[in-house]
Amino acid sequence: MSSASQDSSGSHPVRGPVFFERRELDQLLRVYGRLVATGDWRDYSLAGGADVAEFAVYARSGDAPLYRVEKRPPLQTRQGQWAVIGQGGQVLKRGRDLAQVLRVFDARRFQVID
């Protein structure tokens, strides 16, 4: 599926809305399910827009998101279309491959036990 098509005049490409593909949602929901099972996350939201699709996770409904996973296709050839963004707006991981970017959550599942 192409995200660009020609407008009625045929001169300028028109971008469609950005959203997640089925395999991308599968990867996102696997990580989400794992962290719900540990009690770290409780809710999520999806948003699609003209330039970005966002998967946000929350500790409680109504709170600010703990993390946001953004898909920005125009950045694919530069720094990568995927980014994990923390609560303060800092980019925790960026890349071209979603599975690689989601590994940022693997380190958060281990805890020190006395």
Side-chain angles (χ1 to χ4, degrees), residues 17-20 47-54 69-74 81:
V18 177
F19 209 70
F20 300 104
D51 296 327
V52 63
E54 180 182 275
V69 179
E70 290 186 349
K71 176 182 179 180
R72 293 184 181 266
Q81 73 176 341

Side-chain angles (χ1 to χ4, degrees), residues 1-20:
M1 182 165 78
S2 175
S3 63
S5 62
Q6 296 293 328
D7 67 9
S8 59
S9 67
S11 60
H12 300 289
V14 177
R15 293 203 187 279
V18 177
F19 209 70
F20 300 104

Side-chain angles (χ1 to χ4, degrees), residues 5-34:
S5 62
Q6 296 293 328
D7 67 9
S8 59
S9 67
S11 60
H12 300 289
V14 177
R15 293 203 187 279
V18 177
F19 209 70
F20 300 104
E21 296 173 9
R22 182 182 297 258
R23 66 177 176 73
E24 296 164 348
L25 280 173
D26 182 53
Q27 291 178 54
L28 290 164
L29 291 172
R30 283 178 197 250
V31 171
Y32 173 77
R34 187 181 77 224

Side-chain angles (χ1 to χ4, degrees), residues 47-75:
D51 296 327
V52 63
E54 180 182 275
F55 180 87
V57 294
Y58 304 84
R60 287 181 295 280
S61 297
D63 285 352
L66 294 173
Y67 301 99
R68 292 178 294 132
V69 179
E70 290 186 349
K71 176 182 179 180
R72 293 184 181 266
L75 298 179

Side-chain angles (χ1 to χ4, degrees), residues 3-4 12 39 43 50 65 89 99 102-104 108:
S3 63
H12 300 289
D43 201 6
L102 291 177
R103 287 192 187 118
V104 73
R108 288 170 173 46

Side-chain angles (χ1 to χ4, degrees), residues 35-105:
L35 289 162
V36 164
T38 64
D40 294 328
W41 295 350
R42 294 192 179 226
D43 201 6
Y44 74 92
S45 67
L46 295 169
D51 296 327
V52 63
E54 180 182 275
F55 180 87
V57 294
Y58 304 84
R60 287 181 295 280
S61 297
D63 285 352
L66 294 173
Y67 301 99
R68 292 178 294 132
V69 179
E70 290 186 349
K71 176 182 179 180
R72 293 184 181 266
L75 298 179
Q76 178 62 24
T77 57
R78 295 179 200 123
Q79 64 251 42
Q81 73 176 341
W82 296 102
V84 174
I85 301 168
Q87 266 186 318
Q90 71 278 19
V91 175
L92 303 176
K93 186 83 171 171
R94 182 178 294 281
R96 291 183 175 93
D97 179 52
L98 177 58
Q100 170 73 25
V101 171
L102 291 177
R103 287 192 187 118
V104 73
F105 297 114

